Amino acid sequence: MRERRSLAALLISAPALFGLTLFVAVPFFLAVALGFTNLRLGSPLPLEWLGFEQYRRILTDSSFTRALINNLLFALVVVPLQTVLALSLALLLNQRLRGIAWFRTIFFMPVVFPLSLVAVVWVLIYAPGPNGMMNEFLQLVSFGNWVPRDFLRDPQLALPAIMLTSIWQGAGFQMVILLAGLQSISSELYEAASIDGAGRWRQFWHVTLPQLRNTLIFVVLVTSILAFRLFDQVQIMTRGGPHDATTTVMYEAVEAAFTRQQVARGAAMTVVLFLVVLLISWLQRRVASQERELS
Amino acid sequence: MGYVKAFLIYLSLLLIGLLFITPIVFMISGSLTPDAGVFAQAGGWDALWSAGVSLDNYRDVFARVDFMGYLFNSLFINGMIVGVGLLVNSLAGYAFARLQWYGRNLLFKLVLAVLIIPLEAIAVPLFYMVSLFGWRDTYWVQILPFIANAFSIYLFYTFFIGMPREMEEAARIDGAGVLRTFYCIIVPNAKPVFASVAVLTFLTQWGAFLWPLMVTSGEDVRPLPLAIATFYSLPPLQWGDIFAFGVMMVTPILVLFLLFQPWFVRGVVTSGIKG
């Protein structure tokens, strides 16, 4: 009887386990293995074991190092800005006011938009010339002092332009999670704080933020990882240009493996991407567990 | 709450809300602007209060590309991923949460370890593998790799493990097998987690772009997110048509979102509770 149940359990989980093995675990080990070779589709050269040669090559390649820096810049700018924006929105929405749910709908709506559609729409928003929507807007708020720019072909502005697009699309996701976090904070904590004479500002620092800490750590983790997976917007809006100003690790990997058929090189790049993701998750765990020790 | 404070909150919400909604309004109004208008004011604010309203752009989309074909592809691919995924992952989550079996703990640790691997990290070798299998340009290559999902298994696991044991005991005494217990006792009492997982899977897969870009070269099996990118690069560049394509492409998910908004929110929030 026990054996039969054991077999049944294995059988019902088999499809999922098979899928995860074939489509996640095998490719993962294959990525690591391929990164040490010279594999190239349709190449006449024999397959060779190169050791760390492929990694030496990509890490000394100026486009790839630029891609790593771009991803890092993207994370350093987008993560704090988007988190602060999302937290502000969540705080504004966490009020008992008539019609507040409408605003939640509006802020969350971009999240259901596919990134490729968002990218295409924002290409037109960033249209060059004085009639471009973003140019016109900046001219309006600067009282006519803004000189129209071609955002996506400007080496200085292309990456910030993609950052803004991404914040617009992603802020609602963080907001919803933070709002749920805010709503789960017990009102007794606020009552106790106000009895102790703490004003709004001190309540925010001493009740809200500490209670929201784990939620904040989580949204920061997710957004940081997304920053390193950046691809769709770059592929559609700038194709990594101008002069690698917006290239990313994933864009370089796809260019290598897909456009130039250099499978081994692309695999090595994605292994680097995975190591970064692993590092971010490890940091998050350390920060989260530190808190447990403190409390 | 004081009137001044409420007023300030509304004012900030209104200003930020305007910034958030403008790109969407811009897309919709651009899609309704006659071709000549969009050309004249490419990207301008004028497009927001366009001179005339016409459905020409929508007609153009159907004349220029097989929109309904793309829509079918997206619905079919996502329907399969969500539907079959619910079945496969809930069964695995159930086996891990409620059954005693040899190797369970080790396998579950492996499932959790797999959670951290994003698609991007394995896209290149996966692309190489499916090329070897000769699977490129098929529906299967866009469906099969995404059915088994470690995160879905994890969500099912956490839900099932919190359900009271007594429910199954009774069924077991009555002699029900594993599958019948699952179907008759567990599933009817676990609707929220099924809804959350369905919404989350749909939300993450509906916009899939990278993988279809790598594995499809023809039109036949191309899904909407890739189709709009290729439509955008298809000459002649007509912004009105592109926006009409965009509006039609986002309508199904927007309607779903507005109808089932609490479920979307709950699905996203569920993803935030992990760890």
Side-chain angles (χ1 to χ4, degrees), chain A residues 174-188:
Chain A
Q174 288 191 329
M175 176 202 75
V176 163
I177 295 175
L178 288 170
L179 186 58
L182 283 176
Q183 284 164 350
S184 69
I185 301 176
S186 149
S187 57
E188 286 165 24

Side-chain angles (χ1 to χ4, degrees), chain A residues 1-2 5-10 12-13 15-20 22-28 30-31 34 39 41 85 89 92-93 95-101 103-117 120-125 127-128 131-137 167-169 171-173 176-177 180 200 215 218 221 225 229-232 235-237 239 250 253-254 257-258 261-264 266-267 270-271 273-274 277-278 281 292, chain B residues 1 5-6 9-10 12-14 16-17 19-24 26-27 38 40-46 48 88-89 91-92 94-96 99-102 107 111 114 116-131 133 135-136 144-145 148-150 153 172 176-179 181 200 203 206-210 213-215 224-226 228-229 232 239 242-243 246-247 249-250 253-254 257-258 261-262 264-265 268-269 271-275:
Chain A
M1 187 64 194
R2 210 198 156 98
R5 291 201 93 87
S6 210
L7 186 67
L10 197 60
I12 62 170
S13 48
L17 295 176
F18 177 75
L20 288 180
L22 185 62
F23 297 115
V24 186
V26 169
F28 177 72
L30 204 55
L34 285 176
L39 183 71
L41 287 181
L85 174 65
L89 292 177
L92 284 171
L93 291 180
Q95 314 274 349
R96 282 177 209 286
L97 283 175
R98 205 182 257 269
I100 209 112
F103 288 104
R104 191 187 66 183
T105 307
I106 289 173
F107 299 136
F108 190 75
M109 223 189 298
V111 177
V112 306
F113 275 59
L115 270 173
S116 62
L117 172 60
V120 169
V121 171
W122 280 75
V123 168
L124 194 57
I125 290 177
N131 281 329
M133 196 174 197
M134 184 56 79
N135 275 323
E136 225 173 319
F137 174 73
I167 292 175
W168 177 78
Q169 202 267 345
F173 183 84
V176 163
I177 295 175
R200 288 269 159 198
T215 318
F218 172 77
L221 167 86
I225 290 177
R229 294 166 58 182
L230 181 65
F231 176 80
D232 301 7
Q235 157 76 24
I236 291 170
M237 296 171 81
R239 296 191 174 261
M250 211 46 220
V254 171
F258 183 62
Q261 315 268 316
Q262 298 166 322
V263 173
T270 57
V271 169
L273 174 80
F274 174 73
V277 169
L278 202 62
S281 308
R292 259 172 235 134
Chain B
M1 189 184 297
K5 199 187 157 198
I9 289 174
Y10 277 128
S12 344
L13 283 174
L14 212 62
I16 309 173
L19 289 179
F20 264 77
I21 209 165
T22 303
I24 299 173
F26 181 55
M27 176 179 81
V38 180
Q41 309 144 349
W45 289 80
D46 306 354
L48 287 180
V88 162
N89 297 314
L91 280 172
Y94 176 64
F96 283 122
L99 302 173
Q100 302 288 329
W101 46 293
Y102 186 73
L107 283 173
V111 170
V114 158
I116 197 177
I117 305 175
L119 168 70
E120 283 80 358
I122 54 169
V124 171
L126 197 58
F127 165 69
Y128 179 62
M129 277 168 65
V130 298
S131 303
F133 298 164
W135 279 6
R136 280 162 72 177
L144 286 178
N149 184 315
I153 297 176
R172 193 172 299 180
V178 170
L179 274 181
T181 314
L200 263 185
L203 203 55
W206 179 253
F209 177 74
L210 169 67
L213 176 74
M214 292 175 88
V215 297
L224 285 170
L226 182 58
I228 191 163
Y232 154 67
W239 279 104
I242 295 168
F243 283 168
V247 170
M249 154 183 184
V250 82
I253 191 164
L254 218 49
F257 165 62
L258 292 173
Q261 201 185 150
F264 274 74
V265 171
V268 168
V269 170
S271 80
I273 310 174
K274 77 163 193 166

Side-chain angles (χ1 to χ4, degrees), chain A residues 197-243:
Chain A
R200 288 269 159 198
W201 188 241
R202 287 191 57 197
Q203 285 183 23
F204 175 73
W205 283 104
H206 296 284
V207 179
T208 311
L209 275 188
Q211 291 292 314
L212 213 54
R213 195 185 142 119
N214 276 344
T215 318
L216 275 170
I217 292 173
F218 172 77
V219 294
V220 165
L221 167 86
V222 171
T223 324
S224 315
I225 290 177
L226 277 178
F228 280 90
R229 294 166 58 182
L230 181 65
F231 176 80
D232 301 7
Q233 300 96 307
V234 170
Q235 157 76 24
I236 291 170
M237 296 171 81
T238 60
R239 296 191 174 261
H243 304 296

Side-chain angles (χ1 to χ4, degrees), chain B residues 217-233:
Chain B
S217 47
E219 301 262 320
D220 296 347
V221 294
R222 187 178 288 167
L224 285 170
L226 182 58
I228 191 163
T230 47
F231 187 58
Y232 154 67
S233 53

